[in-house]
Amino acid sequence: MTRQTPLAAAPAVRLRGVGRRFRRTDALSDVTLEVPEGVVCGLLGRNGAGKTTLMSLLAGHGQPSSGSVEVFGADPFTHAPTTSAVSFVRDDQRYPDDFRLPHLLAVAPRFHAAWSTERAAELVDAFRLPGRTDVKKYSRGQLSALGIVLGLASRAPLTVFDEPYLGLDAGARQVFYRQLVTDLAEHPRTVVVSTHLVDEMEALLDRVVVLEGGRVVRDSTVDEARAAAYTVSGPAAAVDALTARLPVLASHRLGGLRSATVEGELTDEVDDAARRAGAQTGPASLQELVLAHGVEPEVGVPGVPASAAARASEGVPA
Amino acid sequence: MTASTHDLAPTATHRLPGAPSALDVVHLQTAKRFMTFAVPLLTLALVLAISGVVAGVFYQLGSRPGTEEWVANSRNNPGVLWALPGFLGYYGVQSVATTFPLALTLGAGRRAFTAGTLLFHGLLSAYIALVGLVLLGVEKATDQWFVGLYLMDVVVLGGGDPLRLVTVLFLGSLAVMSAGAAFAAAWVRFAARGPMALALGTLLVLAAAALLLASQASAVADAFQLWWLAAAAVVVIALACAAEHLLLRRASVR
């Protein structure tokens, strides 16, 4: 395909006050965010947080109940060139009966202007995807691998991956990560990827959006997210005392020991105070931050009112 | 990980590609070449084989090829009428129910998908009409397949008239596929409630029409013209295509 439409000067993704309601359930509420062009954005959150619904809206697979969704400055639901600029293979993707890998590889280039036959062949080979088996009979891992083939080889200006590692073993996941890095280096584009394997994918991400209960509780660069919280661990009494007046996102107790994830910057004063009390401090990992946003607070833990659960229920984004 | 995407220069200055066209959707719909083009042929071959078996039974019972009785019975063979709609109905449903989500995943727009699917239905119907026409030619040239078999030279396909055969096969195939696609579009849009409501609505309209015309049934039967069937098929196709378009226009992928 050689048809071209000028790209508007806009971020890759812009959502303003987006809500998505399924009967009586709000899958997304008042979601406002922007994803700049050319970044890899991690969409993080617990199951049911609204990640797939959000990605579905980005791909024009569904419409918001309220607010507006823009991809490259246009509505992906109604603007056909924008729809075709997005690649999004759902984790429960439906395929026609008797459809096999060669059928998909034969038609996909017609739908994606920048489709790479070489990249597709490389990935098919690396994942050892069978060509003579109906796609409907693929295992979970093979379906994920097929989604990765379609997504990466499409070289769509916005490529969306929905938990692309499901069913893949560690080796296959490394194949995906390596191929993603290599392909983005050669053909920079915007990628949105949802994942629960935060530690494993952290190095790939430029930005993170954390969803909780259909709301955005964090939208920042990875570096900002990492600097946004720290952990205090040690004897429970010491940790309780140290965090009594601090915004504790999450707290876990094991015997007489407690570990708390605190929102805010880790300062020398906090570090000194912790050391004097026999506790340790350290920067929170992205995984800890995400978990903190998704964990219900323990009853009676000091500092808990500022937790993510409280924020979510009050509708206050972090 | 030895490298990171942070190392990448954020210089992704893309131009949006043009949207896939209806022709791209036709390619998607015809990706399964064997299923699309060979299965109708195999279906007709199977009908011919079954017709041969039935003819053999009649032969054993004393009927002989070429006799008036043989010709009359054979030309009432409705085998094609029973065999093709099942395949075409299934194909019509599948062309929307499972192909719509894949087409949108690949980046097709709703309008291009609907136009391409309608075009595909038209092409497949034309192919089946052409196959029927060729088979009718072969049937006549071989003096009914050398043994007095009637597959295409039958009453329901126009009694050997090529124009009627093409019209019946084309409009019949298109009507069945379009109806299947409309029901599938109702399912895509409203899940199980969609096709149920569509079926119920269709039944109500047909029942109302039957009630209205019941008192004039004999007059209608006397005035009946063959072209009425063609007109009815055109109306079914038009309504089904309109329903498919309207239903898919705002449909979410499920």
Side-chain angles (χ1 to χ4, degrees):
Chain A
M1 292 188 304
T2 55
R3 296 152 292 190
Q4 298 280 310
T5 305
L7 172 66
V13 170
R14 178 184 284 151
L15 276 71
R16 290 195 192 112
V18 168
R20 181 71 172 99
R21 194 173 177 81
F22 295 103
R23 299 196 179 177
R24 293 181 181 178
T25 306
D26 284 318
L28 293 174
S29 302
D30 195 25
V31 171
T32 297
L33 61 89
E34 285 190 5
V35 178
E37 209 183 329
V39 305
V40 179
C41 177
L43 201 51
L44 316 176
R46 301 160 76 186
N47 291 330
K51 301 187 295 295
T52 301
T53 302
L54 178 55
M55 291 186 286
S56 173
L57 298 181
L58 296 184
H61 287 193
Q63 264 190 314
S65 309
S66 58
S68 67
V69 177
E70 285 181 17
V71 172
F72 301 118
D75 178 359
F77 191 89
T78 55
H79 189 243
T82 303
T83 311
S84 100
V86 186
S87 170
F88 171 45
V89 182
R90 308 169 74 91
D91 73 333
D92 60 348
Q93 178 66 49
R94 303 173 81 85
Y95 296 95
D97 295 344
D98 310 317
F99 234 65
R100 295 179 177 180
L101 181 62
H103 297 136
L104 281 167
L105 297 182
V107 296
R110 295 192 69 93
F111 289 83
H112 292 294
W115 177 267
S116 168
T117 304
E118 295 75 24
R119 181 65 68 199
E122 207 174 321
L123 286 163
V124 165
D125 194 42
F127 289 125
R128 296 177 192 165
L129 283 175
R132 291 172 172 266
T133 304
D134 288 356
V135 169
K136 282 192 168 181
K137 293 178 183 166
Y138 273 13
S139 67
R140 178 62 263 177
Q142 287 172 323
L143 286 171
S144 294
L146 179 58
I148 291 170
V149 173
L150 293 175
L152 269 185
S154 76
R155 290 190 177 151
L158 174 61
T159 306
V160 183
F161 292 107
D162 186 8
E163 298 187 45
Y165 50 77
L166 288 178
L168 294 181
D169 58 34
R173 295 203 299 274
Q174 287 305 317
V175 168
F176 169 55
Y177 301 145
R178 272 199 304 272
Q179 292 273 354
L180 179 65
V181 169
T182 306
D183 207 60
L184 289 185
E186 295 168 5
H187 302 276
R189 54 196 188 272
T190 311
V191 173
V192 173
V193 55
S194 72
T195 181
H196 292 295
L197 302 181
V198 182
D199 282 341
E200 207 170 285
M201 296 194 73
E202 187 174 344
L204 295 165
L205 307 177
D206 300 301
R207 292 189 70 83
V208 286
V209 172
V210 183
L211 288 172
E212 176 62 22
R215 292 176 182 276
V216 175
V217 292
R218 184 167 299 280
D219 173 17
S220 65
T221 66
V222 169
D223 291 339
E224 287 167 351
R226 284 198 196 105
Y230 60 93
T231 59
V232 182
S233 55
V239 173
D240 287 350
L242 285 165
T243 58
R245 295 179 183 281
L246 299 174
V248 175
L249 291 170
S251 178
H252 306 280
R253 183 169 185 155
L254 183 65
L257 299 175
R258 180 181 294 283
S259 174
T261 304
V262 180
E263 190 169 26
E265 195 179 342
L266 177 58
T267 60
D268 290 343
E269 291 75 30
V270 172
D271 194 38
D272 289 344
R275 214 170 292 164
R276 283 196 301 275
Q280 293 100 41
T281 60
S285 69
L286 200 53
Q287 176 84 61
E288 284 169 326
L289 187 64
V290 173
L291 283 174
H293 279 301
V295 172
E296 292 296 325
E298 289 178 35
V299 176
V301 175
V304 156
S307 73
R311 286 174 184 282
S313 64
E314 291 161 13
V316 181
Chain B
M1 301 297 305
T2 54
S4 147
T5 52
H6 307 303
D7 303 331
L8 309 176
T11 54
T13 51
H14 301 283
R15 287 166 63 81
L16 290 188
S21 68
L23 278 180
D24 296 325
V25 174
V26 172
H27 272 86
L28 173 64
Q29 296 281 14
T30 55
K32 296 182 296 178
R33 299 275 191 270
F34 181 85
M35 184 72 174
T36 307
F37 298 110
V39 168
L41 292 180
L42 292 176
T43 305
L44 291 172
L46 189 64
V47 174
L48 187 63
I50 292 171
S51 300
V53 171
V54 173
V57 170
F58 280 111
Y59 187 86
Q60 291 296 326
L61 292 173
S63 187
R64 290 293 176 264
T67 62
E68 212 167 284
E69 177 199 25
W70 177 278
V71 172
N73 286 336
S74 298
R75 295 190 88 189
N76 282 317
N77 174 12
V80 173
L81 200 64
W82 292 114
L84 277 180
F87 164 75
L88 293 169
Y90 156 76
Y91 226 48
V93 169
Q94 195 212 228
S95 67
V96 170
T98 53
T99 311
F100 175 74
L102 178 59
L104 262 71
T105 286
L106 290 172
R110 288 165 178 75
R111 190 176 298 172
F113 176 81
T114 305
T117 300
L118 297 179
L119 188 56
F120 161 65
H121 291 162
L123 287 173
L124 189 54
S125 301
Y127 169 74
I128 286 168
L130 182 66
V131 166
L133 186 64
V134 170
L135 288 177
L136 177 65
V138 173
E139 189 168 315
K140 292 207 168 187
T142 58
D143 196 16
Q144 317 304 137
W145 308 99
F146 306 107
V147 290
L149 289 182
Y150 287 74
L151 179 68
M152 290 292 160
D153 183 6
V154 291
V155 174
V156 292
L157 296 180
D161 179 346
L163 183 62
R164 282 189 186 175
L165 176 131
V166 166
T167 307
V168 169
L169 282 179
F170 179 76
L171 290 179
S173 300
L174 193 52
V176 172
M177 274 193 287
S178 301
F183 275 89
W187 179 81
V188 168
R189 180 75 186 269
F190 298 113
R193 291 169 299 153
M196 279 174 61
L198 193 55
L200 196 62
T202 307
L203 279 175
L204 285 174
V205 169
L206 290 176
L211 282 173
L212 282 172
L213 294 172
S215 59
Q216 298 161 9
S218 58
V220 170
D222 289 342
F224 179 77
Q225 301 285 319
L226 263 181
W227 65 264
W228 289 13
L229 287 177
V234 170
V235 170
V236 168
I237 292 164
L239 288 175
C241 291
E244 184 187 338
H245 170 68
L246 291 172
L247 288 165
L248 292 183
R249 197 173 55 165
R250 315 295 292 174
S252 295
V253 176
R254 62 172 70 246

